Amino acid sequence: MTMKVEAITLREIQMPLVHFFETSFGRTYNRRIVLLTAHCDGADGWGECVAGEGPFYSSEGTETVWATIKNYLAPAVLGRTLTSARESVSLMARVRGHRMAKAAVENALWDVEAQRTRQPLWNLLGGTRREVACGVSIGIQESIENLLEQIHTELAAGYLRIKVKVKPGWDLNVLERIRSCWPDITLSCDANSAYSLDEVEHLRKFEQFNLLMIEQPLWDDDIYYHARLQLELQTSICLDESIRHARDAAFAVDVGACRIVNIKVGRVGGFTEAKKVHDVCQAGGVPVWCGGMLETGIGRAHNIALSTLENFRLPGDVSASKRYWKEDIIEPEVEVSRHGMISVPDAPGLGYRVRKELVDKLTVRKEMIWPETR
Ligand code: OSB
Ligand code: MG
């Protein structure tokens, strides 16, 4: 199998969220998402860039991703004939950082490779699970009552783990109320770096709520101080932002900075690196789960495929399309069973059909990029 990267289409689509999503770094109502199509000998592969609108979760945002793909990443792969999607990694390696932009390109090529070799993406990635376990991530709300109502709805829908966003002022009071309603549910929290090391005594108070984990309590670029904090806490720390690649994962596992890792394929720069992070964690006895970035169905399909790997042992943040979108851009939409599971599709490639007419309707800019004529 070979695939020649003949052209790449970049698009920005805009989609309003069904409900705003608030974290310790800000609130989002409308997503501005960069989608990418790799055109290779008659096969079209889809990638979704998971960068946020602005550089708040990470340094990337809709605008930087567009410019980086257009000016550097697309030219690095266009006109090349590849024997696997993995080969695109070394072609793009000259560009430092910009991992979410790289992942959009690489992951579209994995879709092409899966289609061309007539297998579902999960199988090409080396997955084994036929269904994946789902949790939900619930943002900061206008009131605790609103939050409790949402948790009630998600538990009734069957989700297996509730994660709530926390920040100073929206933490102990919130966890207290949740636990008084539901003493036994699997519960975790995500601080998105809202605390610092002088708040160890405050973080110690989280222990009473019997959390599955505390996600990214400290700085987004830190591993060492998380190790210091983990020594002080019984509750497992999970790292998200801090893990940019497999070396970070190896460091974090070695120094005991976390006992759980959140893998986001965009954050680590694509499927090739995500698989390495998975393997490093597995070898170190650290279970992983798949994070989410408010993706459309395309990113969601990629996340589902990744979650079939063996060491994805905990429920992920990958949940049903309808929690985010009035109408998703894939068919069928992602649905979650009464038991909180997504069944993994078997069709070649993504396993879902991209609704191109709807994508066109949502597109606010589009550019097709061709190989530079030399
Ligand atoms: O930290 O996991 C995070 C959303 C945007 C940015 C960062 C995060 C999140 C989520 C939402 O938690 C996960 C999802 O439902 O897609
Ligand atoms: Mg997180």
Side-chain angles (χ1 to χ4, degrees), residues 46-339:
W46 288 86
E48 170 171 347
C49 186
V50 303
E53 291 61 48
F56 308 120
Y57 164 82
S58 79
S59 60
E60 295 183 82
T62 310
E63 298 293 337
T64 69
V65 155
W66 185 281
T68 306
I69 295 175
K70 177 180 166 180
N71 296 317
Y72 300 103
L73 301 178
V77 296
L78 278 166
R80 301 281 182 160
T81 299
L82 312 179
T83 57
S84 70
R86 191 170 11 99
E87 283 177 17
S88 66
V89 175
S90 56
L91 296 175
M92 295 188 287
R94 194 157 74 95
V95 174
R96 291 187 177 163
H98 297 281
R99 294 185 179 82
M100 293 176 178
K102 287 177 177 173
V105 177
E106 189 197 327
N107 294 355
L109 294 170
W110 278 88
D111 179 18
V112 173
E113 185 178 345
Q115 291 178 40
R116 295 291 308 280
T117 55
R118 295 197 182 76
Q119 58 182 316
L121 180 57
W122 63 266
N123 193 57
L124 179 62
L125 287 168
T128 49
R129 299 173 191 281
R130 305 312 322 284
E131 48 176 16
V132 303
C134 307
V136 288
S137 172
I138 306 182
I140 294 163
Q141 305 295 317
E142 302 278 9
S143 71
I144 298 186
E145 283 64 38
N146 283 355
L147 176 68
L148 296 175
E149 217 168 281
Q150 274 209 46
I151 294 174
H152 176 83
T153 305
E154 306 299 9
L155 290 171
Y159 286 102
L160 299 169
R161 184 224 60 204
I162 302 290
K163 152 176 148 186
V164 293
K165 293 292 186 177
V166 291
K167 64 175 183 183
W170 180 272
D171 48 13
L172 298 173
N173 50 342
V174 170
L175 296 169
E176 168 91 68
R177 292 286 300 279
I178 298 172
R179 273 300 183 220
S180 71
C181 296
W182 298 282
D184 299 322
I185 57 167
T186 306
L187 180 65
S188 66
C189 71
D190 185 358
N192 291 106
S193 308
Y195 301 95
S196 73
L197 257 198
D198 14 295
E199 288 163 298
V200 175
E201 287 317 310
H202 180 69
L203 290 168
R204 218 190 288 285
K205 296 186 187 135
F206 285 49
E207 307 256 54
Q208 63 187 296
F209 302 113
N210 185 29
L211 302 175
L212 176 63
M213 66 189 106
I214 301 179
E215 189 177 338
Q216 198 72 37
L218 308 177
W219 305 275
D220 65 291
D221 58 355
D222 170 77
I223 292 175
Y224 175 73
Y225 289 102
H226 280 94
R228 297 260 297 257
L229 178 63
Q230 183 68 89
L231 280 176
E232 302 281 328
L233 299 179
Q234 303 280 312
T235 308
S236 293
I237 292 176
C238 169
L239 290 179
D240 173 354
E241 283 90 328
S242 297
I243 307 297
R244 301 160 300 172
H245 41 57
R247 281 181 297 103
D248 278 341
F251 178 24
V253 170
D254 261 18
V255 300
C258 59
R259 297 199 281 255
I260 297 173
V261 166
N262 165 335
I263 298 184
K264 289 176 181 164
V265 58
R267 193 193 67 227
V268 302
F271 281 129
T272 303
E273 196 66 23
K275 276 164 60 66
K276 287 184 187 165
V277 173
H278 166 274
D279 294 351
V280 162
C281 292
Q282 186 164 32
V286 168
V288 305
W289 54 279
C290 186
M293 289 290 285
L294 313 175
E295 291 93 343
T296 74
I298 293 174
R300 223 159 274 284
H302 284 120
N303 288 341
I304 291 166
L306 182 66
S307 303
T308 63
L309 272 67
E310 201 184 342
N311 195 36
F312 281 83
R313 297 179 194 278
L314 296 167
D317 273 351
V318 183
S319 54
S321 299
K322 65 171 185 219
R323 293 189 63 246
Y324 306 83
W325 317 114
K326 206 166 96 206
E327 237 186 334
D328 202 346
I329 59 173
I330 56 163
E331 215 172 47
E333 299 200 339
V334 173
E335 288 183 21
V336 172
S337 78
R338 307 284 311 146
H339 306 290

